[in-house]
Amino acid sequence: MLTIFKVFIEFVTILLLFYVLVFWLRGMWDLSSRPGIEPTPPALEALKDGYEKVEQDLPAFEDLEGAARALMRLQDVYMLSVKGLARGVFQRVTGCAVTDLYSPRRLFSLTGDDCFQVGKVAYDMGDYYHAIPWLEEAVSLFRGSYGEWKTEDEASLEDALDYLAFAYFQVGNISCALSLSREFLLYSPDNKRMARNVLKYEKLLAESPNQAVAEAVIQRPNVPHLQTRDTYEELCQTLGSQPTHYQIPSLYCSYETSSSPYLLLQPVRKEVIHLEPYVVLYHDFVSDTEAQKIRGLAEPWLQRSVVASGEKQLPVEYRISKSAWLKDTVDPVLVTLDHRIASLTGLDVQPPYAEYLQVVNYGIGGHYEPHFDHATSPTSPLYRMNSGNRVATFMIYLSSVEAGGATAFIYGNFSVPVVKNAALFWWNLHRSGEGDGDTLHAGCPVLVGDKWVANKWIHEYGQEFRRPCSSSPED
């Protein structure tokens, strides 16, 4: 994540230089069109044309903002130390204890400018809970390198002090705001705005002396739609913890044939993960070659993932990933995959009784907060298929992940780590057709690595004799 963020910073810097170059080129072009002025040299023409071809592929501010938000997301979910992140290490902080969560092979440190950019993104959102520690780290790093000029830096110690001072003022810590503002004036004594701020802070402290010793408690921003945040984050922090099988005899491993001729000669290794909700893991469900083929087929079609919002499909902050839909006519490997899923589950996986294969890519910081796969509203777009609700989910892990990215079942209180080439299966509905509330689940943020999954969602219709209904809502 840190390396990617640094690359974003460097790209944005390059982008700004490109813009300066283009403006200069445009000026040259305008001059060349005037009488008596030499035409633009061919080399400049070629440079201008080349830039226009790659301009749309260069990262924009949205990319920089997304990288900063991802760092803050990892900081929250895994309780990571900002100082550790700045040094390139992943350390969890709980009280006074510091635990190494993941040890990277190489350390990539952030500069003061990098930390400033993250803090500024939070500051601009009014999120001082995240802005202050990142700006503090920026100030610390800028102090250590004061007087050194780096071409990639867009900010300075004065900028970091300015933002940090006002952030502390916003949360009610007048004493820190005053101290930082006075330090700012040491480097920029002619700044009238900051001089007025110093007078303002001194007056406030004179009127309320108790504020000089009071520590402001900065609350983490609330997430109204996420009522299970604490449980979700605790499960993610385990990085995937399956139940201990010898302590729960009803959980077992076996070779699964499902009485299918297709699987008799090559049964699949089945591991029962949980009973309520019923969740099983099929090991080595696909081969490395098949996984790579599916990822390759989907990659050109990947787009920002969306969620249903009323009758619309919208991108949202609580689901950060890219996805693509693949019809089984795209490649024979998808036909084989459908046959294997049908043999294992005993369900009809052909449209319209099932959806096309959805391939999803989660980059570093990519996640999907707690949600249901089945529709919980009769107006859901899922019913447009006229094949009922999603009765089951078959999710295939197409890659490994170095850290993070577990699938957490919130009410089941367990999480499953990413197991390369394995497939996770669960029922979303009871036999009565009622939604199973215990299937609330989440895709934890990817801490290190690149997570690929493929989802096959199977619907109610077409399964009437394959999974008969029941009059009991508990079945």
Side-chain angles (χ1 to χ4, degrees):
M1 180 71 235
L2 305 181
T3 310
I4 293 175
F5 184 77
K6 287 177 72 66
V7 170
F8 272 128
I9 295 289
E10 291 169 3
F11 264 132
V12 170
T13 304
I14 293 170
L15 183 61
L16 292 172
L17 293 174
F18 261 125
Y19 275 120
V20 171
L21 179 60
V22 167
F23 287 138
W24 179 74
L25 287 173
R26 286 175 178 169
M28 292 291 292
W29 180 267
D30 291 340
L31 285 173
S32 67
S33 63
R34 297 177 187 174
I37 301 296
E38 289 291 329
T40 306
L44 293 180
E45 274 290 333
L47 184 59
K48 179 183 176 184
D49 292 341
Y51 169 73
E52 289 175 348
K53 289 178 181 177
V54 302
E55 182 179 11
Q56 61 183 2
D57 297 324
L58 293 173
F61 175 74
E62 181 184 3
D63 301 306
L64 176 65
E65 185 181 45
R69 285 174 178 262
L71 272 176
M72 290 184 274
R73 186 180 308 123
L74 295 176
Q75 172 193 345
D76 285 346
V77 173
Y78 297 107
M79 300 175 66
L80 299 178
S81 159
V82 170
K83 285 189 174 295
L85 283 171
R87 295 197 313 272
V89 297
F90 299 84
Q91 295 179 322
R92 178 184 297 157
V93 180
T94 50
C96 297
V98 178
T99 307
D100 287 335
L101 194 62
Y102 174 79
S103 299
R105 299 183 187 91
R106 292 179 60 193
L107 294 182
F108 293 92
S109 301
L110 294 177
T111 66
D113 189 69
D114 296 336
C115 295
F116 174 79
Q117 299 299 337
V118 179
K120 187 175 181 300
V121 168
Y123 178 95
D124 290 341
M125 296 188 297
D127 176 6
Y128 304 112
Y129 174 87
H130 291 104
I132 286 175
W134 283 102
L135 291 172
E136 280 184 335
E137 190 62 23
V139 166
S140 176
L141 291 170
F142 276 132
R143 281 172 180 158
S145 62
Y146 190 76
E148 298 178 15
W149 183 75
K150 298 179 181 178
T151 55
E152 67 270 19
D153 284 356
E154 295 181 24
S156 63
L157 174 58
E158 292 92 322
D159 293 323
L161 288 168
D162 191 0
Y163 278 87
L164 182 57
F166 195 73
Y168 269 121
F169 168 70
Q170 289 291 88
V171 299
N173 194 329
I174 310 301
S175 180
C176 277
L178 176 59
S179 175
L180 292 163
S181 299
R182 284 172 174 169
E183 183 180 353
F184 178 98
L185 288 176
L186 293 176
Y187 302 106
S188 183
D190 297 329
N191 191 298
K192 295 180 180 179
R193 175 179 58 82
M194 190 60 72
R196 288 194 298 269
N197 286 349
V198 167
L199 293 174
K200 176 181 178 180
Y201 300 151
E202 289 174 340
K203 182 179 179 181
L204 288 171
L205 288 175
E207 293 172 351
S208 304
N210 292 335
Q211 286 188 334
V213 294
E215 273 194 32
V217 178
I218 310 170
Q219 296 293 331
R220 181 176 166 187
N222 187 31
V223 184
H225 71 272
L226 187 53
Q227 305 301 320
T228 57
R229 180 169 70 180
D230 292 343
T231 304
Y232 158 60
E233 292 181 353
E234 287 173 9
L235 289 171
C236 289
Q237 288 162 19
T238 64
L239 302 182
S241 59
Q242 301 177 42
T244 306
H245 291 77
Y246 68 85
Q247 294 178 341
I248 310 176
S250 55
L251 302 178
Y252 62 91
C253 296
S254 65
Y255 283 99
E256 182 67 36
T257 64
S258 300
S259 301
S260 166
Y262 186 86
L263 297 174
L264 282 175
L265 294 176
Q266 192 175 1
V268 175
R269 292 189 297 154
K270 173 184 176 181
E271 179 181 358
V272 179
I273 301 294
H274 207 264
L275 296 179
E276 293 182 8
Y278 181 74
V279 179
V280 297
L281 187 69
Y282 295 109
H283 291 266
D284 298 316
F285 179 75
V286 293
S287 66
D288 286 338
T289 303
E290 288 173 324
Q292 186 175 357
K293 180 70 173 180
I294 295 168
R295 294 199 307 265
L297 291 170
E299 196 163 5
W301 307 102
L302 290 174
Q303 293 184 342
R304 171 73 185 270
S305 298
V306 296
V307 300
S309 177
E311 296 184 357
K312 297 181 179 180
Q313 301 280 326
L314 299 173
V316 289
E317 188 64 23
Y318 60 82
R319 184 185 187 187
I320 302 296
S321 62
K322 288 186 176 182
S323 56
W325 297 88
L326 298 178
K327 294 184 179 181
D328 56 5
T329 54
V330 170
D331 192 275
V333 72
L334 300 180
V335 177
T336 302
L337 197 67
D338 279 352
H339 287 165
R340 202 176 299 156
I341 296 173
S343 299
L344 265 178
T345 62
L347 301 173
D348 189 340
V349 300
Q350 296 302 309
Y353 307 124
E355 298 173 41
Y356 295 122
L357 191 71
Q358 186 197 52
V359 180
V360 187
N361 175 230
Y362 297 90
I364 296 176
H367 72 139
Y368 195 171
E369 288 181 358
H371 63 282
F372 293 105
D373 279 358
H374 63 275
T376 55
S377 168
T379 61
S380 170
L382 288 178
Y383 289 113
R384 292 176 188 168
M385 292 179 65
N386 296 320
S387 55
N389 208 343
R390 287 174 174 168
V391 68
T393 293
F394 200 95
M395 185 174 70
I396 308 164
Y397 295 114
L398 299 175
S399 70
S400 59
V401 173
E402 291 186 62
T407 303
F409 286 82
I410 311 305
Y411 297 136
N413 197 32
F414 69 98
S415 58
V416 184
V418 175
V419 180
K420 185 182 179 183
N421 296 344
L424 204 61
F425 172 79
W426 68 88
W427 298 104
N428 293 308
L429 307 180
H430 293 291
R431 287 183 179 271
S432 63
E434 294 295 320
D436 186 348
D438 288 339
T439 62
L440 184 73
H441 64 285
C444 297
V446 175
L447 187 59
V448 183
D450 195 23
K451 176 182 172 184
W452 288 81
V453 300
N455 298 308
K456 189 72 174 182
W457 285 301
I458 306 162
H459 284 241
E460 292 177 280
Y461 297 177
Q463 323 303 339
E464 292 86 353
F465 300 104
R466 299 169 185 267
R467 192 194 190 221
C469 62
S470 169
S471 59
S472 172
E474 302 302 322
D475 290 344

